[in-house]
Amino acid sequence: MAKDDLIIQSVVGINDLKERMTINSYNGFHPKFKATDEKTCQWLRHNFKNVSATIERNGKSYDIKIDQIQQGDALFKLYNFPNELRKLTIVTDRLIRELKSRGFLRFHVDQLASSLSVEQREIANVNHLIQNIKKGAQQRDKGKVVVEELLDHARDGDLNTAEIVNFIKDVSQDPAMDAVSAMVGLKESDQTYAHCIDVGAIFLTVYYDVMKKNNRKSIFKNDQEAMFSSFLHDIGKSRIPKDILDSTIRFDRDSEEMKQMFNHPVYGKEILEKMKMPDYVINMAHYHHVKAETTMASSYPEVENYDEVLYETRLMSIIDVYQALVGKRSYKKSWTPPAAIRYIDTLAGVEYDFDAWDDFLNIMGRYPIGSLVELSEQSIAFVVSVPEGDLYKPGVVRVRNAGGGDIDDHSLLNLADSDITIEKDLDSTEIFGTQGLEVFSGIQLL
Ligand SMILES: [Fe+2]
Ligand SMILES: [Fe+2]
């Protein structure tokens, strides 16, 4: 969600230009600027002194200072406004009138999210999420390496958390982690390192939204502590030999290897106790595999009473299994995000805490952001927003038409306001191969 004070960058037409926006560049022009006459060139040189421009001359594109513009050039962009020309970038009613009369039609602007209409805000939220996808993917790759190194060093007896603390400091300043939860179904995951980062990223997004929605207070001292405990919920795996951890073979339930794996929550508790971590951080590592029905064979370690398991741990255990189902595993086919949601839904109240499940579902929706779906009109679309009301009717963006052709002209379709429905969910790998994330991050709403 875009925060009210967030600065959103977007492209707007002259009729949507409003006071309080700041123009970064002029990007759309009246046809007279496509083959400029000498008078227009003179006027540009005089009024846009020292501004940079992108032009086309004899079929080739050039970046020049506007002073070098020549008769016949086609103007595509004006940018890099010097300070003395700020009056051409700070939007006022007078500037809008002036720009309109001169034939300037489209602009790249900065604006506060709070100054947008509901529809513009929805579009800005989607664009903001998509812009963060690439950055989020980089952070995820970096986090994965940091977690792997931490576990490797811990295995050699050297528990050094400095790197992960630095990584957390880095990403807690940055909203791109939000985007990571949208890409879990679109990017390959291993079962330990990227898994930890994905679980942590989803936990943060969901947990803080739940707290805000229900007007409850976080138990964590700060974001960094919340990140630390969710990224390191599987820290106990550092005591398990690496060949078992990284194995792509699925071990038998009764095998020696699985017995070791079942110990990781207790190892985690011991490690975090040694580090003198707060009780709730230890609880998350210790009890994240405890089921609501604590007597189930798949519930471990033993607990006296499910009340020992904190709400935060219960919520994380749902995210843990969701990521494990959706993230691709070499020994089994991955699930689509909506299929994973349907599956966990059948286990809520038995394996997973019902209230935590309800909270998770209301934030993630029936079709989590990043899900690929086929619509009733047979087009293919990505889910880009979770609806407030009916969770079966998210906001989507169509990327392929009924005939199978790619759609480049993207628009937001709120299924809640439409007769079009979701026909079925699709596996992005089957449709786009390894390019799913590429297609998703190529979405741009105007
Ligand atoms: Fe675990
Ligand atoms: Fe886990």
Side-chain angles (χ1 to χ4, degrees), residues 195 233-234 288 320:
H195 162 79
H233 71 279
D234 275 335
H288 70 273
D320 194 33

Side-chain angles (χ1 to χ4, degrees), residues 187-200:
K187 212 165 186 305
E188 188 99 29
S189 168
D190 55 61
Q191 48 183 319
T192 305
Y193 320 111
H195 162 79
C196 283
I197 296 297
D198 286 352
V199 169

Side-chain angles (χ1 to χ4, degrees), residues 17 30 33 40 54 133 138 176 200 206 218 224 226 237 304 306 309 326 355 365 371 379 390 392 398 409 420 427:
L17 211 53
H30 182 274
F33 291 101
T40 309
T54 305
I133 290 277
Q138 284 166 6
V206 175
S218 155
Q224 298 184 6
K237 288 189 177 172
E304 295 259 311
Y306 194 49
V309 182
V326 173
D355 291 337
S371 303
S379 61
D390 188 342
Y392 289 93
R398 284 170 280 210
D409 193 5
I420 300 169
D427 185 333

